Amino acid sequence: MNLDPCAGILNESPPSKVVIALTDKQTGDNLILKNGLTAADLKITLAGIATPLTNWRVVNSPGSPMNGMLELAVFHEKAGEFRYKIEAKGLADVEFSYAVKQVKSDSPCKLHYYPLEGLKATNQDYVKLEIGDKIYPNGIKVLYSLER
């Protein structure tokens, strides 16, 4: 008889999702959609690492309020601050960051969990991502001031 309460349990947490909308500050237009940008026109890197990340996508769901937004899947097993840069063809770079903290859990199978908090753009204006009446805690809307 196996008395291990964690036997047979896969102990992987699903990734957290970070959602970023690149938006024209004056018109509110989604700049990925307006400028016809595809994943090939975008590059996301983690500070200190030259190799571009591959764990992201441009949401391509016409009719969805998240259509044309960047979605980054992040897995964390350590606390710290994480800084990224988005390079988009024809737009100024966006630098963003968030913190991850280690929190003790009540589970004997997973001793800690790692919530993400404080998502912010560090070199551009931004607001929390709000769609309808829902605020996405892991989402921001970057506000570009474009020359007219």
Side-chain angles (χ1 to χ4, degrees):
M1 180 171 197
N2 189 347
L3 299 177
D4 181 356
C6 304
I9 293 177
L10 289 176
N11 208 9
E12 288 295 320
S13 299
S16 295
K17 300 265 171 99
V18 172
V19 179
I20 298 178
L22 304 180
T23 308
D24 183 318
K25 188 176 193 173
Q26 280 74 35
T27 66
D29 289 340
N30 177 313
L31 294 172
I32 289 176
L33 296 176
K34 183 177 181 182
N35 295 356
L37 300 178
T38 66
D41 299 317
L42 299 154
K43 181 169 92 170
I44 302 177
T45 52
L46 181 61
I49 299 175
T51 307
L53 298 176
T54 58
N55 56 326
W56 64 274
R57 69 184 183 120
V58 174
V59 177
N60 183 11
S61 301
S64 164
M66 296 181 78
N67 189 41
M69 295 185 191
L70 296 173
E71 184 180 70
L72 177 68
V74 292
F75 301 83
H76 292 294
E77 293 296 322
K78 66 178 185 171
E81 183 178 358
F82 296 85
R83 294 178 295 126
Y84 297 85
K85 180 166 64 172
I86 301 169
E87 297 172 58
K89 186 171 120 188
L91 297 173
D93 293 349
V94 173
E95 295 172 6
F96 70 95
S97 69
Y98 56 80
V100 172
K101 51 183 205 181
Q102 182 183 60
V103 179
K104 187 157 178 41
S105 79
D106 296 331
S107 169
C109 303
K110 188 166 181 84
L111 300 178
H112 298 96
Y113 62 98
Y114 298 87
L116 183 152
E117 61 186 25
L119 175 64
K120 64 185 177 203
T122 57
N123 70 333
Q124 301 277 358
D125 290 339
Y126 75 97
V127 294
K128 280 289 192 190
L129 180 61
E130 190 172 343
I131 298 174
D133 59 356
K134 182 178 180 190
I135 293 177
Y136 288 77
N138 292 344
I140 57 173
K141 186 183 287 192
V142 176
L143 304 171
Y144 279 91
S145 292
L146 302 175
E147 297 299 320
R148 297 277 174 229

